[in-house]
Amino acid sequence: MAKKIAVVIRDRQSEALRMAIGIILLDDIIKIYVLDQKIEETEQNLLNLETIQDFEIQAYSNVRENTTMEYLALEDIARQLSQYDHVLAY
């Protein structure tokens, strides 16, 4: 049975995005939440974001400037996180 896994990103953005891509190999349900900051537009982050879109991993943020992600208020994100089997915080 597939597990629900949330990757919560605050720091170590590149590492967190890379990890989110890596765990899709497990055939679990992966969703990404970027909190309180805009994703840095480094070459690695942009490549990872493109890969995330290619694999149709859902990504959310409470920062509207993260235009490749669906905006959710922090309260809505907190409610959703309680429904996951695992939450990986970066």
Side-chain angles (χ1 to χ4, degrees):
M1 181 172 182
K3 299 281 185 185
K4 289 179 67 177
I5 302 172
V7 178
V8 179
I9 303 170
R10 282 200 167 139
D11 299 316
R12 301 183 297 163
Q13 294 177 348
S14 182
E15 181 181 348
L17 292 171
R18 182 181 51 79
M19 178 60 71
I21 292 167
I23 59 179
I24 63 170
L25 298 173
L26 299 175
D27 276 342
D28 290 327
I29 299 165
I30 312 299
K31 295 188 181 177
I32 297 170
Y33 296 87
V34 177
L35 303 181
D36 302 331
Q37 59 186 313
K38 186 176 185 312
I39 290 287
E40 297 171 12
E41 293 185 5
T42 65
E43 183 178 341
Q44 189 64 45
N45 283 353
L46 294 173
L47 177 62
N48 287 335
L49 288 171
E50 183 179 321
T51 304
I52 286 166
Q53 289 176 334
D54 289 346
F55 281 100
E56 299 179 354
I57 299 171
Q58 293 179 319
Y60 305 93
S61 181
N62 67 333
V63 176
R64 292 189 191 275
E65 287 81 15
N66 289 321
T67 57
T68 61
M69 301 172 190
E70 182 178 334
Y71 174 81
L72 281 180
L74 194 56
E75 297 79 20
D76 295 327
I77 291 173
R79 254 189 301 284
Q80 286 189 11
L81 289 178
S82 68
Q83 300 172 8
Y84 285 88
D85 296 307
H86 302 286
V87 177
L88 306 175
Y90 282 87

